[in-house]
Amino acid sequence: MKLGARILKTGIAITIALWIASLLNLPSPVFAGIAAIFAIQPTIYRSYLSVIEQVQANFIGAAFAIMFGLIFGPHPFVVGLTAVIVISINLKLKIQNTIPVAIVTVIAIMETPGENFIQFALLRFGTVMLGVFSAFIVNLLFLPPKYETKLYYRISDSTEEILKWIRINIRQASEHSVLKEDIERLKENMMQLDQLYLLYKEERNYLRRNTLTKSRKLVLFRQMLLTTNKALDTLKKLHRLENELHLTTPELQQIITTELDYLLSYHERILLKFIGKIKTETPNELIQEGFFNKRELVEEFMKYQNQCHDPACFYHMLPLVANILDYSEQLEHLDTLINSFQSYHKEENEIEISETKE
């Protein structure tokens, strides 16, 4: 079993919260550990926002817990009513993510009120906030997420699998049911990649130079995702039109295979170029080869229209050919962006990709 950074950070945050609470001799330090669990966030920026929201939510929870505790006492019905009110207010303020910790604060304060209820309540409120701030410190200092590395390797892994399936499919060697299951899994992987991209996009830079560089990188990663999605669209159409493609002319099948082989190789070279393992300058003959292949594909497809006895066959194949051409355009655009990124502002545009995937 592999432990992720967030799991380790959660354990560290709980340890720090409980340790500090014990040093301060706070009653029931367990509440600090519970608050630390809820306050751990995947990014530093989200952690900063979470602290602000947690302070608001816990203040609301503590205020209502003290007020209802003084007026009505610790009856279970009163605790439940207080929790409902606090949840409603948090929802109204659109800080629903902080509801669990706010409810923990309500229960912690109202569980055993006595003669020194106000002092007891403030101690419990401070204990919960100790857990929140412990999680923030851990998010800030320990195991900061390397989203550039994660994004690149996950895009690279997904792309590699998609390209592998395309190569197998165009040679009619794929198992239809197995490929169908893998396509569904690849679609889920791409949705997870979109979420990872959003986390990377949320991370803030505090220097203007870094902000401009981050903007350029966002454009690159967004185009990498678009291109990989286009490769997946091509695979889905090849899978769906497997029988129709087999019934076309041998010449059209050959030119589709040749064009896709070029595009797949081109895609692999671009990903390697992104991390500096291939020269920025692309040989002119490779670009020309791709251009002429596209032209030949269109010409051969138009010949197939004249040779096809059933017009429906032509229209079935039209989305596949259009998708291949669009895939080619996305690849060329990605290549242009990478060339531009690596040719200009060289001192600023540094890709932080480590050798390990995590």
Side-chain angles (χ1 to χ4, degrees):
M1 183 181 68
K2 187 175 182 180
L3 296 179
R6 188 167 184 178
I7 296 175
L8 293 174
K9 288 196 297 184
T10 302
I12 295 171
I14 292 172
T15 302
I16 292 176
L18 293 175
W19 178 62
I20 296 177
S22 299
L23 286 179
L24 298 175
N25 293 321
L26 295 176
S28 301
V30 66
F31 288 111
I34 294 173
I37 296 173
F38 291 113
I40 285 291
Q41 296 295 324
T43 69
I44 295 174
Y45 181 65
R46 281 195 180 186
S47 181
Y48 164 73
L49 294 179
S50 176
V51 166
I52 297 175
E53 293 176 352
Q54 296 283 6
V55 170
Q56 298 177 39
N58 286 315
F59 181 79
I60 293 170
F64 277 90
I66 293 172
M67 180 174 65
F68 279 75
L70 289 173
I71 298 174
F72 303 107
H75 192 278
F77 176 79
V78 177
V79 176
L81 177 62
T82 306
V84 170
I85 294 174
V86 170
I87 292 172
S88 301
I89 294 174
N90 285 349
L91 290 174
K92 187 69 174 179
L93 296 176
K94 297 182 179 180
I95 51 175
Q96 56 269 21
N97 292 332
T98 62
I99 288 175
V101 180
I103 299 305
V104 169
T105 302
V106 170
I107 297 174
I109 291 175
M110 298 187 72
E111 66 163 339
T112 53
E115 296 180 359
N116 300 321
F117 177 59
I118 298 296
Q119 181 181 355
F120 171 84
L122 293 177
L123 282 174
R124 284 293 171 87
F125 174 73
T127 302
V128 173
M129 290 308 304
L130 172 62
V132 172
F133 284 111
S134 296
F136 175 70
I137 292 172
V138 170
N139 276 323
L140 194 64
L141 301 179
F142 293 90
L143 303 173
K146 300 177 180 178
Y147 286 114
E148 288 184 16
T149 297
K150 287 184 178 180
L151 259 179
Y152 172 78
Y153 281 114
R154 292 191 185 181
I155 290 173
S156 179
D157 290 344
S158 295
T159 301
E160 181 181 349
E161 189 168 2
I162 292 169
L163 303 190
K164 174 194 70 177
W165 271 117
I166 292 177
R167 285 193 173 99
I168 294 173
N169 185 271
I170 58 179
R171 287 163 176 80
Q172 302 174 5
S174 62
E175 180 63 39
H176 189 84
S177 58
V178 175
L179 177 54
K180 182 178 180 180
E181 293 176 0
D182 262 23
I183 286 175
E184 292 302 316
R185 180 175 55 79
L186 288 167
K187 287 165 62 177
E188 292 178 2
N189 288 347
M190 294 309 300
M191 288 189 287
Q192 293 174 5
L193 276 173
D194 286 334
Q195 293 299 316
L196 185 60
Y197 172 81
L198 291 177
L199 290 177
Y200 175 55
K201 187 178 181 180
E202 284 181 354
E203 288 288 69
R204 295 297 190 265
N205 292 292
Y206 302 101
L207 299 177
R208 178 175 174 79
R209 179 177 66 88
N210 293 340
T211 301
L212 294 175
T213 303
K214 174 71 175 292
S215 299
R216 300 184 191 109
K217 291 178 182 179
L218 284 172
V219 172
L220 281 177
F221 279 114
R222 182 73 264 174
Q223 184 60 30
M224 288 173 70
L225 286 171
L226 288 173
T227 306
T228 301
N229 271 310
K230 188 54 63 176
L232 180 58
D233 289 342
T234 303
L235 175 60
K236 288 190 289 186
K237 287 182 171 59
L238 283 169
H239 177 255
R240 182 168 58 85
L241 300 171
E242 188 174 357
N243 293 329
E244 288 83 349
L245 179 60
H246 183 64
L247 296 174
T248 60
T249 62
E251 292 80 10
L252 181 59
Q253 292 180 44
Q254 180 59 43
I255 193 63
I256 287 177
T257 301
T258 302
E259 172 70 1
L260 281 173
D261 276 337
Y262 163 76
L263 293 177
L264 303 182
S265 177
Y266 189 22
H267 200 161
E268 290 168 338
R269 292 196 304 269
I270 289 174
L271 291 179
L272 291 174
K273 182 192 296 186
F274 180 70
I275 58 174
K277 292 187 176 181
I278 288 182
K279 294 180 180 179
T280 302
E281 297 78 10
T282 304
N284 291 332
E285 57 268 21
L286 292 178
I287 298 176
Q288 292 301 319
E289 178 190 350
F291 173 78
F292 286 120
N293 278 347
K294 287 191 292 185
R295 186 178 66 181
E296 291 174 12
L297 172 63
V298 174
E299 290 176 352
E300 191 60 45
F301 185 59
M302 298 310 295
K303 289 180 184 177
Y304 172 67
Q305 180 186 19
N306 299 327
Q307 298 170 3
C308 185
H309 300 291
D310 184 3
C313 297
F314 173 79
Y315 293 119
H316 284 156
M317 294 302 300
L318 184 59
L320 173 61
V321 175
N323 204 96
I324 293 172
L325 295 174
D326 192 13
Y327 178 35
S328 175
E329 293 292 332
Q330 296 296 339
L331 281 170
E332 290 178 7
H333 183 50
L334 176 60
D335 195 20
T336 301
L337 289 175
I338 292 175
N339 287 338
S340 176
F341 182 83
Q342 295 179 344
S343 299
Y344 302 99
H345 312 286
K346 292 184 179 180
E347 296 181 357
E348 301 175 8
N349 297 341
E350 295 181 1
I351 298 295
E352 298 175 4
I353 306 294
S354 61
E355 293 297 324
T356 56
K357 295 187 178 184
E358 295 296 335

